[in-house]
Structures are given as C-alpha cells and as structure tokens.
Amino acid sequence: MALNEQGRGMLMSGAIQLLEELVNADGISGFEKGPRDVIRRHLEPVTTIEIDNLGSIIAEKKGSSDKPRIMIAGHMDEIGLMVSFITKEGFIRFQPIGGWWDQVMLSQRVTIKGSKGDVVGVIGSKPPHLLTAEERKKVVEIKDMFIDVGASSDEDVKEMGVKPGDPIVVVSPFTRMKKDNMLMGKAMDDRVGCAVFVEVIKRLKDVDHPNTVFGVGTVQEEVGLRGAKTSAALINPDVAFAAEVSIAGDMPGVSENEAQAKLGKGPSIVVLDGSLIPNTKLRDLAVETAEENGIPYQFQAGIKGGTDAGRIHLHSTGVPSLVVSVPTRYIHSHVSIINYEDFENTVRLMVEMIKKLDASVVESLKP
C-alpha cells in the first residue's frame, strides 16, 4: 500500500535524521565507536545486539524462521588520517588511513581525537607564493603536508592531549542542500550503507519475513575488508548483501563507460567490481523485485576497488552475495553528495527482497 504524503514525509524525516547522526559521528578505520553507538541506540529496542572481537556490531532481527540467515553489511569506518609525528615546532605529520587522493586534502579542517578531547586543526603546506613556477604545477604530496593546531612547540601539542597514533577526522557536517532531497556531508561512504540496514530492520519490525536478518556495521573495510571476515564467521550467513555507495558518473569529465550510476535514478546493482562477481541469480532476483515493485534501478560495472561482499562471499564454502548501492558523488574526499530518493529506493528494494528469501529461494541460488 502506498504511503500518503504525510506518512512519506514522516518516514523521510526520520531517515534523514538517522543519516545525519551517522554521517556526523566520527569513526575512521580502527576507531568506529561513534557510528557503532548510533547504530546500537537505534536498533537495540528492536533487535539483539552483539559485538564481535574486532568491533563490528551485529543486530539480529528474527523472522518466522531461524534460517536462512541473511546478512546486510554496511561498513562503519570512514577514511581518515592518523598522527605519525609531532615536530619540535608543534606541527603534526600524519599518515592516511584508507584511500586518499592527495589533491583533495589541502586547506581542509580536521579534528584530532586526542586524550583530552577534540583538537581542531587545518591541513597546510608550503605557501604557493614561495614555490617555483615548476613546483606550482605539481600536486602537493601527503608527505609534504602537515596539520597546524595553533601550537608553538611539541610540548604545546602534548599538553593538548595529542600523541602519535591518535585518529584524525575531517570536518564536514551533514547538510541539506537548497534542493532538499540532496544531502551533503563527510563519510557517506559508508554511513549511507549503515543507514540502509538500520532502516531495513526498522521497517521489518511488524512485517512477516521467512528468515533471520543480520544488520552488520563492519569495521576496517577501508583498510582491507577486515570486519567483514570476522562478522561473517560469527553469523555464518546463507545470503549476503553489501549495502554500499557507488561512484556517480553524472558530472563533467566522466563518461558513461567509466561510471554508469546517476543520482536520482535508483539503487545501483553492482555486476562487477575488483573483489566480487556477484551471484547472478541473486542479481536477477534484485532486478525482478525492483520491476515488480516499481522501484527504479541501474547497473554499475567495472569500478576498481571492492566491498565487504568481496570478503563475505568467500566465507566457509561460499555465500551468494550482491552489492546494492546508493549513487554518490565525490567519495573518498572531505564531502560527498547523495539524492535521498536513491537511499529510500535502496531500502525499499532490500525490504522486498528479504520478504522473498525463504529456504527454497535461497536453495535455488546455488549453482
């Protein structure tokens, strides 16, 4: 049954609030407590919560049957930085955590999560006025950058509670743009996927589904799909989905062959990436379900890199797996943009697929 405008507005408002909380939470790889706490707060009332030994959060939502076990993974970690060295003059050298492109980093505000609280700073480098004409043509490399926290010495920095090994997070708060279904902020990769599985579980609260669903906020995806391995070992899933973001190609300079996804055209069903060739029957089930329910969808293929599904599908003797993603502009930078309608349609597609995944359907996914 279709929602009326008031019901849809309430749903949208609640989901956007969830996205805001998750995006604004700080949690680079290895330091995911912030988003984990948000997920726990939202799902503890309706699920059983467990934390694996690496830190991934697992929310179990029982349906009418214990099996099949359906895993929906969204990684909690965002790319960030880590303090590596403090100069005698009080400037901070850092290492990237996850995949950064050096060119997007200069002059950006950051927060260092120190032992005495947050310390704000800015990423700096040698001023362009002091560079030669040849130097100005080159991209400044991370090794030549530093963070200025307004200190005068290494003792100043120590007094602030900052030391090597502390995580550094970009500053880019969640924002609704002028066109208010367009949402902007840091860490959309992959707090959007976390919000997808949280919303899916919430909407299954009073819905009959012939399986048990595990919504998983995984850790350390950006540095090697690590939490996917440990959480899959705990769950032992029969089917797995990675709820992710996909690279949107609807911008100047990008051809359709490079990135097919476009904002506002629905979830991307990923048919190939660097870590997964999906189960084709599960892919076809996603297409069939979308068409039956009038949910727009698109395909994405050929993107470098991988997702948690790349690790989960190799668990035990193999797990039929698929990546369903929300098109996103400017991932792996300080700020990304999504269209809320794509998020909503991704949630709808996942809910409708879960309602179909009984024992016989899951058995039919096997080669």
Side-chain angles (χ1 to χ4, degrees):
M1 182 173 67
L3 288 171
N4 60 29
E5 283 301 310
Q6 182 181 9
R8 185 182 181 283
M10 291 173 63
L11 201 63
M12 181 175 177
S13 177
I16 289 178
Q17 176 64 35
L18 169 64
L19 279 163
E20 181 172 4
E21 291 177 34
L22 284 167
V23 165
N24 285 344
D26 292 333
I28 73 166
S29 304
F31 300 86
E32 296 93 349
K33 182 180 184 301
R36 183 168 56 238
D37 287 348
V38 174
I39 292 168
R40 182 196 291 273
R41 178 161 40 81
H42 278 267
L43 289 185
E44 212 161 34
V46 294
T47 64
T48 301
I49 299 289
E50 187 171 2
I51 311 293
D52 75 12
N53 292 338
L54 210 59
S56 296
I57 185 169
I58 300 164
E60 180 181 356
K61 168 63 174 67
K62 289 188 178 294
S64 58
S65 176
D66 289 338
K67 290 180 71 72
R69 298 161 76 85
I70 313 300
M71 179 176 180
I72 311 174
H75 67 88
M76 296 185 291
D77 58 319
E78 61 190 287
I79 62 168
L81 312 167
M82 181 180 284
V83 177
S84 59
F85 178 72
I86 301 167
T87 72
K88 289 182 180 180
E89 298 78 19
F91 294 98
I92 293 168
R93 298 290 188 177
F94 57 87
Q95 294 290 325
I97 302 296
W100 280 99
W101 185 33
D102 300 22
Q103 191 161 321
V104 304
M105 302 184 75
L106 277 181
S107 299
Q108 298 291 344
R109 293 180 61 179
V110 296
T111 300
I112 303 171
K113 312 297 285 188
S115 61
K116 296 182 180 180
D118 291 354
V119 177
V120 297
V122 63
I123 298 175
S125 69
K126 188 177 178 180
H129 312 73
L130 305 181
L131 299 176
T132 66
E134 192 60 34
E135 286 175 325
R136 284 198 295 271
K137 296 176 184 177
K138 298 177 181 178
V139 174
V140 179
E141 297 180 35
I142 287 177
K143 67 180 179 62
D144 297 318
M145 299 179 194
F146 51 81
I147 295 172
D148 187 340
V149 294
S152 301
S153 67
D154 53 354
E155 285 300 317
D156 268 0
V157 177
K158 183 178 179 181
E159 184 61 31
M160 293 176 185
V162 173
K163 60 184 178 299
D166 285 344
I168 305 167
V169 185
V170 302
V171 176
S172 183
F174 182 89
T175 305
R176 292 185 75 165
M177 302 176 78
K178 186 70 173 178
K179 191 175 178 182
D180 71 357
N181 62 311
M182 303 296 283
L183 311 175
M184 180 171 68
K186 73 173 181 67
M188 294 289 189
D189 181 10
D190 183 36
R191 303 294 164 67
V192 168
C194 293
V196 166
F197 78 71
V198 170
E199 277 296 304
V200 167
I201 288 175
K202 285 182 175 182
R203 297 183 197 188
L204 289 172
K205 182 175 181 292
D206 299 313
V207 173
D208 182 44
H209 54 100
N211 45 47
T212 293
V213 176
F214 296 84
V216 186
T218 61
V219 298
Q220 299 188 43
E221 189 267 2
E222 295 289 4
V223 292
L225 316 182
R226 298 170 185 173
K229 182 174 182 178
T230 56
S231 55
L234 194 58
I235 295 166
N236 197 26
D238 298 298
V239 173
F241 297 96
E244 261 285 1
V245 295
S246 57
I247 296 173
D250 53 350
M251 64 185 72
V254 180
S255 70
E256 275 196 324
N257 188 52
E258 291 175 298
Q260 300 83 43
K262 297 177 174 61
L263 267 61
K265 302 298 183 181
S268 293
I269 298 170
V270 179
V271 299
L272 176 68
D273 65 27
S275 68
L276 177 73
I277 299 172
N279 180 285
T280 55
K281 294 178 182 178
L282 191 57
R283 176 206 63 193
D284 292 345
L285 182 66
V287 171
E288 173 189 299
T289 303
E291 291 180 350
E292 286 174 354
N293 290 276
I295 299 170
Y297 67 93
Q298 50 194 323
F299 293 113
Q300 182 80 292
I303 298 299
K304 297 176 183 177
T307 72
D308 280 338
R311 187 62 59 87
I312 299 166
H313 85 290
L314 299 175
H315 172 69
S316 185
T317 58
V319 180
S321 300
L322 182 69
V323 181
V324 181
S325 55
V326 177
T328 306
R329 292 179 185 154
Y330 322 121
I331 68 169
H332 284 231
S333 71
H334 283 69
V335 62
S336 299
I337 294 175
I338 68 167
N339 185 323
Y340 174 79
E341 298 299 331
D342 295 328
F343 170 82
E344 175 63 26
N345 283 316
T346 301
V347 173
R348 288 179 58 210
L349 177 58
M350 295 298 300
V351 168
E352 294 303 324
M353 287 190 73
I354 286 166
K355 287 156 66 173
K356 287 185 173 184
L357 286 168
D358 60 18
S360 63
V361 170
V362 170
E363 182 65 25
S364 75
L365 299 177
K366 296 179 180 179

